[in-house]
């Protein structure tokens, strides 16, 4: 039955799940008692073909490969906390080396880049949403040039395509900010489309498809609970407070319509991973039922 459902996906498109449904990467109390083996067993049982890196996964090929291969899972990608907003390409290449080597060794072809420089001081994900730092317009061209250079070197030295993650509380949160950056970044820099971060950032993800569909190299399938994100914005709460209140959920659990995404993937010739992802408290949203329901929702959407 699982293989029959996966047949709904176009050739060259695979479905993965993020470990965030089991253990949060920032709020370490969420999922602290869940073993990595449980996460991987659940992912395989639900029918997924791969996972992304999470904080509980080992960071050596020797330890990681057996865990995944024994369950028939591949490594789709992994997040790199980049700081090109405030440092040069040489420093970024040094910072990414160990991570990029692991991704290459595991057969991954995409690196998820999240910009963590130029964020609110202190603990930025605990700061009110209004405290987000905005990059001055006059700095965007130079940032885009560094990002392009870094992307080209990442591809040349590691065979990895950079997938830039637009993200709440970071310098590319809104549609206009993503557009301003990608209007200036060269073709070496790819875009990660995150359906949930788009909705929570105040815009429909289809706008990114229409504007930058040919730049999309990796896709995160995340849903948003509308009343919760409205509450977070109205109360000027923090990102982490929003996560704890359940602003994100898996596909099918919120307000995001995934039919346009399925149409884009079918019609564009997109090749790569679709990654179900949701920062949720596993005590409130038991992971296996949640990711199993998401698996069915996405494949039913593609089959429609």
């Amino acid at each position: 039955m699982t293989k029959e459902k996966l047949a709904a996906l176009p050739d060259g498109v695979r479905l993965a799940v993020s470990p965030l449904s089991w253990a949060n990467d920032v709020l370490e109390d969420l999922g602290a008692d869940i073993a990595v083996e449980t996460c991987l067993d659940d992912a395989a049982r639900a029918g997924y073909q791969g996972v992304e890196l999470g904080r509980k996964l080992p960071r050596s090929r020797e330890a990681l490969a057996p865990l995944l291969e024994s369950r028939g899972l591949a490594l789709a990608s992994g997040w790199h906390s980049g700081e090109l907003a405030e440092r040069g390409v040489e420093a970024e290449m040094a910072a990414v080396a160990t991570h990029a080597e692991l991704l290459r060794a595991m057969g991954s072809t995409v690196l998820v880049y999240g910009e963590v420089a130029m964020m609110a001081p202190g603990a930025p994900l605990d700061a009110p949403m209004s405290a987000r730092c905005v990059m001055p317009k006059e700095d965007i061209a130079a940032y885009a040039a560094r990002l392009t250079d870094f992307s080209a070197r990442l591809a040349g030295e590691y065979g990895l395509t950079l997938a830039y993650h637009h993200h709440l509380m970071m310098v590319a949160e809104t549609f206009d900010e993503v557009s301003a950056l990608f209007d200036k970044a060269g073709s070496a820099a790819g875009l990660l489309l995150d359906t949930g971060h788009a909705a929570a950032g105040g815009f429909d993800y289809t706008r990114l498809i229409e504007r930058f569909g040919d730049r999309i190299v990796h896709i995160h399938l995340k849903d948003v609970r509308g009343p919760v994100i409205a509450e977070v914005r109205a109360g000027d709460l923090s990102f982490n407070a929003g996560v704890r209140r359940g602003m994100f959920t898996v596909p099918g659990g919120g307000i995001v319509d995934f039919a346009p995404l399925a149409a884009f993937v079918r019609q564009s010739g997109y090749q790569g991973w679709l990654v179900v992802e949701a920062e949720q408290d596993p005590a409130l949203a038991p992971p296996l039922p949640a990711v199993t329901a998401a698996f069915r929702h996405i494949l039913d959407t593609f089959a429609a």
Side-chain angles (χ1 to χ4, degrees):
M1 180 62 73
T2 294
K3 288 184 178 179
E4 291 175 5
K5 282 184 171 291
L6 287 169
L9 296 177
D11 290 342
V13 177
R14 292 189 286 175
L15 188 57
V17 65
S18 166
L20 284 172
S21 284
W22 291 265
N24 194 277
D25 282 350
V26 176
L27 300 169
E28 295 191 4
D29 60 303
L30 301 187
D33 59 339
I34 298 178
V36 65
E37 291 83 3
T38 299
C39 166
L40 299 177
D41 287 343
D42 285 354
R45 186 176 300 121
Y48 290 94
Q49 296 162 290
V51 296
E52 287 193 335
L53 285 173
R55 67 180 172 85
K56 293 193 176 186
L57 288 169
R59 289 305 199 271
S60 72
R61 188 193 182 285
E62 293 72 22
L64 181 57
L67 282 175
L68 299 188
E69 291 168 1
S70 64
R71 295 165 173 85
L73 297 169
L75 184 67
S77 186
W79 170 285
H80 168 65
S81 294
E83 298 183 34
L84 284 167
E86 294 179 346
R87 69 183 174 193
V89 175
E90 289 296 337
E92 201 63 56
M93 289 300 296
V96 80
T98 301
H99 182 60
E101 286 281 10
L102 175 62
L103 293 182
R104 177 170 64 179
M106 291 297 299
S108 303
T109 59
V110 171
L111 176 142
V112 175
Y113 181 96
E115 183 58 67
V116 300
M118 204 174 286
M119 294 181 73
L125 297 184
D126 287 322
M129 286 284 193
S130 63
R132 182 174 73 93
C133 295
V134 176
M135 180 175 283
K137 290 182 179 179
E138 60 269 23
D139 293 346
I140 295 173
Y143 176 49
R146 293 193 298 275
L147 185 67
T148 302
D149 186 11
F150 177 70
S151 300
R153 291 188 56 179
L154 195 66
E157 297 185 27
Y158 298 101
L160 296 170
T161 299
L162 181 139
Y164 190 96
H165 196 328
H166 59 98
H167 198 288
L168 296 184
M169 295 303 290
M170 296 181 184
V171 296
E173 175 181 290
T174 69
F175 176 76
D176 287 347
E177 289 165 344
V178 179
S179 297
L181 176 58
F182 272 80
D183 279 343
K184 292 179 173 61
S187 60
L191 177 63
L192 185 155
L193 172 64
D194 189 300
T195 56
H197 276 278
F203 65 94
D204 192 313
Y205 72 83
T206 59
R207 297 180 69 192
L208 285 181
I209 288 175
E210 292 163 1
R211 187 85 164 73
F212 298 108
D214 61 339
R215 306 289 294 274
I216 294 171
V217 297
H218 201 56
I219 298 174
H220 280 178
L221 305 174
K222 182 182 292 169
D223 213 335
V224 172
R225 293 184 175 94
V228 181
I229 188 61
E231 180 182 288
V232 169
R233 290 293 189 185
D236 196 21
L237 305 182
S238 69
F239 179 89
N240 282 338
V243 168
R244 290 189 183 279
R245 290 183 180 222
M247 68 178 176
F248 292 125
T249 182
V250 294
I255 61 173
V256 175
D257 179 5
F258 291 89
L261 185 283
F264 163 71
V265 170
R266 284 195 301 260
Q267 295 164 14
S268 68
Y270 172 84
Q271 301 279 287
W273 288 96
L274 309 174
V275 184
V276 166
E277 182 190 72
E279 293 99 329
Q280 297 198 98
D281 183 345
L284 302 177
L288 181 56
V291 301
T292 300
F295 180 89
R296 292 172 180 155
H297 182 78
I298 291 301
L299 293 179
D300 285 349
T301 301
F302 271 86

